[in-house]
Amino acid sequence: MDLKTEFDFVLPLGYRNGNGALQRIGQMRLALAIDEIESLKDPRVQANEAYLPVILLSRVVTRLGDIVHVTPQVIECLYAADLAYLSRCSQRNRKRRRGRGAQP
């Protein structure tokens, strides 16, 4: 059985890059323990825990349209609906992983 660690997604609304091009198609990978640990250490998260999804998603979204280095600033500029969608995708991917024989 192959372990699928990367997943494609299509944002409901999309991100407009600096050139005004709409970016909706992307890819994310499963979060590693270190992604969550390092995200919790981020000073922005320590100052405001609501910032955690921004940092975590910036670590696991590997591509958004032609953007191959997704930064917290990119995630910050997503519409709330797209941020919620990516958060649900990330949670769903973790559940899929667990459903394939991984330890919870």
Side-chain angles (χ1 to χ4, degrees), residues 51-62:
Y51 204 75
L52 179 61
V54 171
I55 299 299
L56 188 55
L57 287 170
S58 72
R59 293 178 65 98
V60 301
V61 174
T62 57

Side-chain angles (χ1 to χ4, degrees), residues 1 3 6 9 12 30 33 44 61 63 68 76 88 92 99:
M1 171 175 66
L3 173 63
E6 295 201 57
F9 64 82
L30 288 175
R44 294 165 289 192
V61 174
R63 182 180 52 79
V68 293
E76 285 174 350
R88 285 191 307 273
R92 189 171 39 245

Side-chain angles (χ1 to χ4, degrees), residues 48-88:
N48 179 359
E49 67 183 47
Y51 204 75
L52 179 61
V54 171
I55 299 299
L56 188 55
L57 287 170
S58 72
R59 293 178 65 98
V60 301
V61 174
T62 57
R63 182 180 52 79
L64 179 55
D66 59 4
I67 302 167
V68 293
H69 182 69
V70 179
T71 65
Q73 292 74 26
V74 169
I75 301 297
E76 285 174 350
C77 292
L78 293 175
Y79 291 103
D82 288 335
L83 181 66
Y85 173 80
L86 286 176
S87 293
R88 285 191 307 273

Side-chain angles (χ1 to χ4, degrees), residues 30-47:
L30 288 175
L32 302 171
I34 194 67
D35 293 317
E36 296 194 23
I37 292 166
E38 290 298 321
S39 294
L40 288 169
K41 290 180 184 178
D42 189 287
R44 294 165 289 192
V45 173
Q46 291 180 353

